[in-house]
Amino acid sequence: QVQLVESGGGLVQAGGSLRLSCAASGGTVSGYSMGWFRQAPGKEREFVARINWNGYSTYYADFVKGRFTISRDNPKNTVYLQMNSLKPEDAAVYYCAADRVQVTTRRASYWGQGTQVTVSA
């Protein structure tokens, strides 16, 4: 059973940067589509970014394009989300997820427990 553990969240000022990591254990995710999602209080979970199994294809939500970058290191079984130019509206719990086909908000074989990102104005 694959387990995903996110880390790297925290408090940052608007305009600052954070790098989230999602480490997989219990199995390899090298063949999986991996993604990042977020959920703010009172809101539904939303898609942020995803990356295909070999890292050659990425896709982003419009609201993070040009600011966030998703990447993966398959030998380390880890996916990253570099977040730059953070805005207060980026504050949320960030989750990573994995799926054999294509990870989406409604389809994921595995979910992490989330890491909190707080952005002060």
Side-chain angles (χ1 to χ4, degrees):
Q1 181 77 359
V2 171
Q3 292 185 327
L4 303 176
V5 178
E6 302 94 336
S7 62
L11 173 64
V12 64
Q13 288 188 331
S17 298
L18 283 174
R19 187 195 195 201
L20 305 183
S21 298
C22 172
S25 62
T28 179
V29 291
S30 61
Y32 283 72
S33 166
M34 301 291 295
W36 286 95
F37 302 80
R38 69 187 188 186
Q39 187 167 19
K43 295 187 178 181
E44 293 188 351
R45 189 171 298 187
E46 62 182 356
F47 166 80
V48 175
R50 68 170 173 259
I51 188 167
N52 77 327
W53 69 275
N54 60 10
Y56 288 173
S57 177
T58 58
Y59 184 73
Y60 297 91
D62 286 343
F63 54 77
V64 302
K65 283 182 180 177
R67 300 189 298 124
F68 291 10
T69 302
I70 188 171
S71 61
R72 67 190 300 162
D73 186 334
N74 282 342
K76 293 185 177 179
N77 231 13
T78 301
V79 176
Y80 305 96
L81 185 68
Q82 177 67 44
M83 305 187 296
N84 298 329
S85 302
L86 282 161
K87 305 175 181 180
E89 52 263 42
D90 292 319
V93 177
Y94 282 71
Y95 299 89
C96 78
D99 192 82
R100 277 287 191 185
V101 180
Q102 179 172 287
V103 67
T104 70
T105 306
R106 297 182 179 181
R107 180 173 63 201
S109 298
Y110 306 104
W111 286 94
Q113 84 291 346
T115 185
Q116 178 71 51
V117 171
T118 304
V119 184
S120 62

